[in-house]
Amino acid sequence: MLDHILQKADLTGELTITEIISLLELEEKKDLDRLFDCAYRIKTRHVGRTVWFRGLVEFSNICSKDCYYCGIRRSNKEVQRFALPEKAIIESAVWSWKAGYGSAVLQSGERSDPEFIAMIERVLREIKRLTNNELGITLCLGEQIEETYRRWFDAGAHRYLLRIETSNRDLYAKLHPADHSYDRRIECLDLLRKTGYQVGTGVMIGLPMQTIADLADDLMFFKRQDIDMIGMGPYIYHSTTPLMQYRREWEIPPGQLLKLGLKMIALARILMRDINIAATTALQALEDDGREQGLLAGANVIMPNTTDTQYRSSYQLYENKPCIDENASMCQDCLSRRIKSIGETPGISAWGDSPHFAARRKQTV
Ligand code: SAH
Ligand code: SF4
């Protein structure tokens, strides 16, 4: 039965929702290995065995939103707030360029005040100037109006990550205060695409009240949205957030949660062959080699942290975040070693766009 489903998946890239659920429910090691091998074969065929790096700059934990799962939400008074000076954000990105990463990701809490919008615009232009337009830039700065997305695109950003968090509208409502809107989130994803960005989205895996059927729907949602990249990862409880109340009833043990995250990656690769899929840091929070396992299950992007060590401990969306005592060079050495050890090649000095984006563009011109 499993062989039959996987054979079909390998040939067609299509699975029914019932088949997706049955694959997400696999538990036996030998079955999981077959699933991951299938995804890895598809990855090798469609995007190769090069791992693309995105140097991640988590430049501020000041946030105007109040998502119930997140350690840096507005109402959390126990967090020491910080914002890197403009110069330091630029330096971090330029470091990525010099290190041969090819791309950087600028991520922070959500802000939409005019000073912030203008600051990002200046930073983007300066990074582009200092790197001869060579460094690719991804933004992960939440929901914004169309004009803002446009200004940042014109200033040099070309990819944007905005997770839907869960495609289940009811669950979304339980994870956010009433003024955070699911429809607005979808609208933003559409605006980003319209503006010309390569669009990435994703979900958290293992949320309280989330079912396997929800996760299967999430995968179908990604496919329907025709997205170019996925950054999804395990949900990790944070002790000073409202979702803590569900921990006792809903927490999934780390080993099982990692497995679920890897199954989601494998299925995403099977269903959306030519997109970029990140092995996120939260995988590494569960097991030391979680990200490498992600690459072997179908992911092809890694986002090493390049934020200055002095700020890392304040940017904790979840607790026990790995590598908060390390600096960017330590991350780089450690990662290259890890990637080569599993037979993959680090991609050097290239943007590493998803072939899916190129194909999508060809269709529209
Ligand atoms: N403010 C921006 C970017 C920073 S948050 C935004 O929300 O888009 C980036 C991602 O971190 C969120 O999309 C969410 O999926 C993830 N995140 C937040 N809290 C988390 C937690 N406790 N465990 C795992 N991921 C979390
Ligand atoms: Fe802010 Fe993003 Fe955390 Fe929500 S997930 S509270 S928007 S940083």
Side-chain angles (χ1 to χ4, degrees):
M1 186 63 183
L2 178 59
D3 280 334
H4 173 74
I5 299 178
L6 291 179
Q7 229 168 30
K8 179 184 112 174
D10 198 346
L11 272 172
T12 65
E14 301 290 338
L15 288 169
T16 65
I17 199 91
T18 322
E19 288 167 339
I20 295 176
I21 292 174
S22 72
L23 294 174
L24 284 173
E25 282 172 342
L26 293 178
E27 285 300 337
E28 296 287 319
K29 182 168 181 324
K30 66 174 187 353
D31 293 341
L32 290 174
D33 284 347
R34 267 143 84 193
L35 173 67
F36 299 153
D37 287 350
C38 174
Y40 195 75
R41 259 198 322 277
I42 293 174
K43 159 177 149 165
T44 308
R45 207 160 64 221
H46 290 269
V47 297
R49 293 174 76 192
T50 303
V51 182
W52 302 111
F53 291 101
R54 318 281 184 234
L56 177 61
V57 194
E58 296 170 326
F59 64 86
S60 168
N61 64 359
I62 301 170
C63 186
S64 59
K65 297 190 86 179
D66 228 2
C67 312
Y68 293 153
Y69 40 84
C70 179
I72 63 170
R73 59 197 293 268
R74 185 185 64 210
S75 302
N76 189 353
K77 300 284 178 265
E78 287 171 45
V79 179
Q80 208 190 333
R81 302 287 163 174
F82 77 93
L84 246 68
E86 255 173 81
K87 200 164 154 272
I89 306 175
I90 295 164
E91 274 167 9
S92 262
V94 170
W95 184 93
S96 281
W97 174 65
K98 288 190 180 147
Y101 280 0
S103 277
V105 181
L106 306 186
Q107 190 188 87
S108 75
E110 189 172 308
R111 278 178 59 187
S112 47
D113 50 283
E115 295 74 34
F116 181 78
I117 294 168
M119 187 275 283
I120 297 295
E121 197 175 15
R122 280 195 305 275
V123 162
L124 288 169
R125 291 198 192 281
E126 194 56 10
I127 295 172
K128 284 304 215 188
R129 191 181 71 79
L130 291 171
T131 64
N132 308 323
N133 276 326
E134 282 171 14
L135 188 72
I137 307 178
T138 307
L139 297 179
C140 185
L141 305 174
E143 294 168 23
Q144 305 288 341
I145 58 170
E146 184 172 358
E147 187 204 334
T148 305
Y149 285 147
R150 162 74 49 204
R151 276 173 66 182
W152 291 346
F153 185 79
D154 291 344
H158 70 126
R159 291 192 277 245
Y160 205 106
L161 286 172
L162 183 71
R163 289 183 176 180
I164 187 68
E165 313 297 1
T166 170
S167 65
N168 177 332
R169 180 184 286 278
D170 296 334
L171 181 56
Y172 189 93
K174 290 180 187 141
L175 304 175
H176 298 95
D179 62 350
H180 292 32
S181 152
Y182 179 86
D183 289 324
R184 173 79 189 120
R185 202 88 181 161
I186 303 264
E187 194 191 335
C188 284
L189 286 171
D190 293 340
L191 286 175
L192 286 165
R193 187 179 165 112
K194 181 176 151 205
T195 309
Y197 286 95
Q198 294 175 49
V199 183
T201 192
V203 292
M204 284 177 287
I205 299 159
L207 287 161
M209 299 166 280
Q210 186 182 47
T211 63
I212 291 290
D214 287 331
L215 292 171
D217 286 342
D218 290 340
L219 291 162
M220 288 301 201
F221 170 87
F222 301 149
K223 205 165 158 94
R224 240 185 356 261
Q225 288 283 127
D226 195 24
I227 45 106
D228 305 303
M229 338 178 262
I230 292 181
M232 61 186 168
Y235 164 65
I236 298 173
Y237 285 82
H238 188 292
S239 59
T240 59
T241 56
L243 285 200
M244 228 7 221
Q245 61 177 306
Y246 299 110
R247 185 174 186 171
R248 239 141 75 98
E249 190 182 346
W250 288 93
E251 189 173 37
I252 302 175
Q256 218 179 314
L257 183 56
L258 177 66
K259 254 194 269 170
L260 194 54
L262 297 173
K263 285 187 267 190
M264 283 293 282
I265 290 179
L267 280 159
R269 175 59 69 203
I270 288 172
L271 293 165
M272 292 156 278
R273 305 159 163 230
D274 57 356
I275 64 170
N276 279 344
I277 302 178
T280 54
T281 314
L283 290 173
Q284 193 191 0
L286 295 175
E287 227 164 78
D288 182 49
D289 66 346
R291 285 182 306 184
E292 291 82 301
Q293 294 189 46
L295 294 174
L296 293 173
N300 68 327
V301 169
I302 279 202
M303 293 157 62
N305 200 333
T306 60
T307 317
D308 235 29
T309 315
Q310 70 180 113
Y311 299 107
R312 288 194 188 190
S313 59
S314 300
Y315 196 89
Q316 292 207 50
L317 309 178
Y318 50 86
E319 286 153 318
N320 299 323
K321 208 171 156 206
C323 305
I324 58 172
D325 299 326
E326 291 176 15
N327 64 31
S329 308
M330 286 157 83
C331 284
Q332 183 191 21
D333 293 346
C334 153
L335 253 180
S336 293
R337 230 179 316 111
R338 282 163 175 252
I339 284 170
K340 287 181 191 151
S341 78
I342 57 166
E344 299 255 300
T345 313
I348 306 285
S349 299
W351 285 9
D353 288 341
S354 78
H356 185 79
F357 179 69
R360 179 155 82 69
R361 277 253 290 248
K362 244 190 235 149
Q363 277 170 9
T364 51
V365 287

